[in-house]
Amino acid sequence: MSFVTVQFSSSPDLQSGCEFVVTIVAICGLAAAAVTRSQGIIRFERIVSLNRSYWMSHSFGRKRSWRFLLEALLAPSEKMRVFNIESVIDEFETVTKSAGHHQRETLRKILEQNGKAEYLKNLGLGGRTDPESYKARVPLVTHGDLEPYIQRISDGDSSPILTGKPITSISLSSGTTQGKQKYLPFNEELVQSTMQIFQTSYAFRNRFSNNILAASFREYPIGDGKALQFIYGSKQVKTNGGLTATTATTNVYRSEQFKRTMNDIQSQCTSPDEVIFGSDYRQSLYCHLLCGLIYSDEVQFIFSTFAHSLVHSFRTFEQVWEEICTDIREGVLSSRITVPSIREAVSKILVPNPSLADSIYQKCVGLSNWYGVIPELWPNAKYVYGVMTGSMEPYLKKLRHYAGNLPLMSADYGSSEGWIGANVNPSLPPELATFAVLPNIGYFEFIPLEKLGMQELESSLTSIHYKEAEPVDLTEVEVGKEYEVVITNFAGLYRYRLGDIVRVTGFHNCTPELQFMRRRSLILSINIDKNTEKDLQLSVEAAAKLLAEEKIEVVDFTSHVDTSTEPGHYVIFWELSSVSNDEILHSCCNCLDLSFADAGYVGSRKVSAIGPLELRIVRKGTFDMVLHYYVGLGAALSQFKAPRCVSQSNSKVLQILCMNVTSCYFSTAYEN
């Protein structure tokens, strides 16, 4: 190994005013060249294969020769982009060590950039950019407070309403949480923060770990290859004002920054764009599976936005795998693919490969109930990746079944409104995943929350079951306490309450690490009972254990508060993997009822202020019908979250559920 270090000062042959430091390492025909830029220094990095004799015979002392060599290494620029893991981690460490400073700077940038916005001017900020003035004049808001402003933007008002620069596109939430999609302003700064989050978490997944008993190693090394990504665009609509409205993920996937970043972090999708943005999500899913198998040896990890999408994908694979094998064996795409753009794009990469088809077939028939199908078919995959916290936790058992010995890794913490934190502790299981807040992608506040006592609940006239204190800054949160997240971003959301409850588990330098706990909104309440999505999830998990001996799974579930009866009662909808008997299902119903441990619920059930819980079993495929309904409204398959409570106003979904009920059971748990 030989090292040559040459330093140029300002040179007319190179960029004027810049200092170049070039390091060349020659190892058996391999060469690495790095040009670094830091505070005025430019950095390029590239590993290339060159003839060793070329390197040794070249005159390194001549600037002209160096310039020729650099041009050879650095062009074409798009192919020469290389992601530097350590520099990303170094930047993250630097930023988080001075988190308070970067928070103030980020707020200053947001307010300077958007200072002429009508919303901020009307609040009397008067050009002030300090946190104290900002919090004194700008109120905490929810989406409903900003909706009139967003509607004006959507209707074509291009004046500075929420931002200094005009908003050119709108993001749509999935609509599964509240039954309808929310319109949210979207701009290029949100794309940039998305890429920063992706790069940060990727760097920590692939960083070198130091072990005193061994050499440095990468715990989850990603080499040259691809990612099997179950990602989907959603349909785009035009608002009254001509703006494009689509899901936040689609806005990101269509950006050039996304494609460059995926290339940088070696996460190129196995499927062509025509599959990602196909008009029929069922056909796109089939082709994702097919393309993933065509490139099976190159796949480094498996990804989708949410765990639900991953489970849905492999449930689908169980049904179509033989058809996919036929496609690969014959080199002809299934007739089920009718969208011309998808068919043309996939047909270009599909060639007859009988040996691959036979290998896939033998592996599939050798599996026991599809356990470990992912590592079996994608032997070089290092992990399965996606959002696995909150409402995604019920899918983890099935996902672990498919993943076998591959680790599950929870993706980063964000929402349609913006990103909050990156997973910098990737070895933690999804149930314990934490997210370090990036102090320079937004301005964050946290509302301290304390649960009300029983007497306070009984006297409360609202559905809020927390005491609130004044919001605190990012660096002022305390370990072990719970908070609601408040975000201010570059796209026109100011002191916006996300409705997410998080717990602070610790700090990474000076920035907090957050564990997502639950959505704040109550989903089940009739009297003084107050049960959250997490309470429902725990009740379903407890009751589902009674089905385990019969090897029956709860495929999916939701709930409804039925006040058409007197007294009102909870209704739980279950879709099961196979049929169970009445005795076991009645026991499940009782278990559900008893597992709601909220004091208000238990007390109300004992005095019959709330009626017996009802368990309704729906036909197989019912939740796919719910998914299809939301995708038809504009949600992306990969962004879909089954609604955990269906209100009376969400009449279409309630109708789908009720029309597919096959049997129902009422609890006798509180009968004397």
Side-chain angles (χ1 to χ4, degrees):
M1 179 182 296
S2 60
F3 293 84
V4 182
T5 302
V6 178
Q7 186 167 338
F8 292 123
S9 296
S10 302
S11 167
D13 287 340
L14 299 168
Q15 184 173 337
S16 178
C18 292
E19 181 178 73
F20 281 73
V21 179
V22 181
T23 304
I24 299 174
V25 183
I27 315 172
C28 301
L30 290 178
V35 183
T36 307
R37 177 173 193 164
S38 177
Q39 296 180 348
I41 300 175
I42 298 176
R43 162 178 283 167
F44 296 92
E45 295 193 349
R46 176 62 175 166
I47 303 296
V48 295
S49 178
L50 293 174
N51 185 295
R52 183 184 177 92
S53 62
Y54 170 84
W55 285 88
M56 302 311 292
S57 65
H58 227 73
S59 171
F60 291 129
R62 297 166 53 202
K63 292 180 182 178
R64 184 176 179 182
S65 298
W66 273 107
R67 182 180 182 185
F68 175 82
L69 189 57
L70 285 172
E71 288 175 349
L73 288 169
L74 301 179
S77 60
E78 196 59 34
K79 293 183 179 179
M80 293 297 175
R81 296 169 58 91
V82 170
F83 183 73
N84 188 319
I85 290 174
E86 294 308 318
S87 68
V88 171
I89 292 177
D90 288 345
E91 180 182 354
F92 176 79
E93 297 293 341
T94 299
V95 170
T96 55
K97 285 176 182 176
S98 53
H101 165 74
H102 283 282
Q103 278 286 274
R104 295 182 72 92
E105 280 298 295
T106 301
L107 180 61
R108 179 186 63 78
K109 291 177 183 177
I110 292 172
L111 297 181
E112 284 183 352
Q113 183 173 307
N114 299 320
K116 295 181 179 180
E118 172 189 322
Y119 181 80
L120 293 176
K121 289 177 69 175
N122 289 346
L123 292 172
L125 267 181
R128 300 177 186 86
T129 62
D130 61 283
E132 295 75 20
S133 299
Y134 176 66
K135 288 186 281 190
R137 289 167 174 78
V138 178
L140 295 170
V141 298
T142 63
H143 185 268
D145 298 310
L146 296 181
E147 196 166 13
Y149 299 94
I150 298 173
Q151 188 62 53
R152 286 172 54 196
I153 295 170
S154 174
D155 289 340
D157 189 337
S158 60
S159 64
I161 299 173
L162 289 173
T163 56
K165 296 178 182 178
I167 293 292
T168 56
S169 58
I170 296 291
S171 280
L172 300 173
S173 68
S174 64
T176 54
T177 301
Q178 297 180 341
K180 66 175 184 177
Q181 292 180 299
K182 294 183 294 187
Y183 276 32
L184 295 160
F186 187 88
N187 61 13
E188 197 63 21
E189 282 82 359
L190 294 185
V191 177
Q192 293 172 6
S193 65
T194 302
M195 298 308 105
Q196 185 178 345
I197 286 277
F198 285 179
Q199 291 171 340
T200 301
S201 58
Y202 173 85
F204 276 90
R205 293 197 302 277
N206 292 276
R207 74 183 304 186
F208 281 103
S209 298
N210 292 317
N211 187 320
I212 59 174
L213 300 178
S216 294
F217 68 97
R218 280 184 178 147
E219 192 169 1
Y220 305 104
I222 295 295
D224 290 333
K226 300 179 182 291
L228 172 50
Q229 299 194 51
F230 296 100
I231 58 176
Y232 307 84
S234 63
K235 70 179 183 180
Q236 299 184 50
V237 298
K238 290 292 184 180
T239 68
N240 293 335
L243 276 67
T244 299
T246 188
T247 58
T249 51
T250 303
N251 274 323
V252 169
Y253 296 155
R254 288 192 177 278
S255 72
E256 287 301 317
Q257 281 195 64
F258 174 77
K259 295 176 182 178
R260 289 196 297 269
T261 301
M262 292 301 101
N263 182 68
D264 290 347
I265 63 177
Q266 299 169 314
S267 303
Q268 303 97 313
C269 186
T270 53
S271 303
D273 283 353
E274 290 82 357
V275 173
I276 297 172
F277 299 109
S279 57
D280 186 319
Y281 72 88
R282 293 187 179 99
Q283 295 185 39
S284 291
L285 171 53
Y286 182 92
C287 290
H288 275 318
L289 290 164
L290 173 60
C291 293
L293 287 168
I294 291 173
Y295 296 109
S296 55
D297 286 341
E298 298 181 49
V299 169
Q300 299 289 302
F301 66 95
I302 317 295
F303 168 79
S304 191
T305 308
F306 289 127
H308 169 273
S309 177
L310 290 164
V311 170
H312 178 77
S313 298
F314 289 103
R315 286 192 191 277
T316 301
F317 182 73
E318 292 183 38
Q319 308 301 318
V320 302
W321 70 275
E322 290 179 287
E323 191 173 346
I324 290 176
C325 282
T326 300
D327 290 358
I328 294 173
R329 179 174 290 106
E330 298 176 355
V332 178
L333 190 56
S334 167
S335 60
R336 72 165 64 215
I337 308 304
T338 59
V339 177
S341 60
I342 298 179
R343 190 167 187 88
E344 180 181 357
V346 176
S347 294
K348 289 179 180 178
I349 62 175
L350 178 63
V351 296
N353 193 336
S355 62
L356 176 59
D358 290 343
S359 174
I360 294 169
Y361 186 90
Q362 292 302 320
K363 289 177 178 179
C364 287
V365 296
L367 292 170
S368 175
N369 194 28
W370 298 100
Y371 176 81
V373 61
I374 297 176
E376 187 68 25
L377 296 182
W378 291 276
N380 295 315
K382 308 300 189 301
Y383 49 82
V384 180
Y385 190 60
V387 173
M388 300 180 187
T389 55
S391 61
M392 294 298 113
E393 284 189 23
Y395 305 108
L396 293 184
K397 181 179 179 181
K398 188 65 175 179
L399 188 54
R400 285 193 169 100
H401 181 83
Y402 288 132
N405 60 357
L406 275 185
L408 303 186
M409 225 174 274
S410 189
D412 309 300
Y413 174 32
S415 64
S416 297
E417 290 84 353
W419 288 98
I420 294 98
N423 184 353
V424 299
N425 298 302
S427 59
L428 289 176
E431 294 88 345
L432 301 176
T434 61
F435 309 95
V437 181
L438 272 66
N440 58 352
I441 62 172
Y443 181 71
F444 301 101
E445 299 171 73
F446 298 85
I447 302 173
L449 301 176
E450 183 180 341
K451 285 190 175 182
L452 296 174
M454 186 61 187
Q455 290 183 337
E456 294 168 303
L457 278 173
E458 291 176 348
S459 62
S460 174
L461 299 177
T462 71
S463 62
I464 298 173
H465 62 317
Y466 295 96
K467 289 180 181 178
E468 293 183 1
E470 286 297 311
V472 298
D473 288 335
L474 179 74
T475 58
E476 296 174 343
V477 296
E478 298 179 38
V479 174
K481 291 192 175 181
E482 293 188 354
Y483 300 86
E484 181 184 350
V485 181
V486 177
I487 185 172
T488 295
N489 68 16
F490 285 91
L493 300 184
Y494 305 102
R495 306 196 78 197
Y496 183 98
R497 299 177 70 145
L498 281 182
D500 288 354
I501 296 179
V502 297
R503 175 179 292 151
V504 178
T505 61
F507 281 83
H508 187 105
N509 295 322
C510 295
T511 198
E513 292 185 335
L514 310 177
Q515 184 178 17
F516 179 87
M517 302 304 294
R518 56 193 170 275
R519 292 286 295 168
R520 176 164 183 175
S521 54
L522 295 175
I523 61 169
L524 293 170
S525 183
I526 296 174
N527 189 19
I528 60 170
D529 53 309
K530 312 215 185 283
N531 282 299
T532 66
E533 179 178 320
K534 186 67 174 180
D535 297 322
L536 172 63
Q537 177 187 322
L538 293 173
S539 295
V540 170
E541 288 176 357
K545 291 177 181 177
L546 301 178
L547 300 170
E549 291 184 5
E550 296 189 47
K551 296 183 179 179
I552 297 175
E553 301 172 358
V554 177
V555 174
D556 223 326
F557 64 93
T558 190
S559 63
H560 171 66
V561 171
D562 187 350
T563 55
S564 64
T565 60
E566 182 60 41
H569 67 286
Y570 290 5
V571 178
I572 310 297
F573 294 92
W574 273 10
E575 180 180 326
L576 303 178
S577 59
S578 57
V579 177
S580 184
N581 64 62
D582 289 343
E583 182 180 354
I584 290 178
L585 289 175
H586 189 267
S587 297
C588 289
C589 183
N590 285 346
C591 183
L592 282 167
D593 203 4
L594 291 170
S595 295
F596 284 107
D598 170 70
Y601 181 78
V602 173
S604 297
R605 283 288 285 119
K606 286 181 177 179
V607 298
S608 298
I610 295 177
L613 181 144
E614 181 182 1
L615 173 61
R616 298 182 188 178
I617 307 301
V618 298
R619 293 183 181 89
K620 291 184 70 173
T622 297
F623 279 85
D624 279 349
M625 296 171 65
V626 174
L627 182 155
H628 186 68
Y629 167 71
Y630 279 111
V631 170
L633 292 179
L637 173 57
S638 51
Q639 199 176 339
F640 173 77
K641 295 176 287 187
R644 290 305 180 215
C645 182
V646 181
S647 65
Q648 195 67 40
S649 61
N650 199 353
S651 57
K652 181 61 178 178
V653 172
L654 193 58
Q655 181 183 21
I656 292 171
L657 293 167
C658 292
M659 288 179 61
N660 285 280
V661 172
T662 59
S663 57
C664 58
Y665 306 86
F666 284 90
S667 170
T668 56
Y670 286 90
E671 290 184 1
N672 294 327

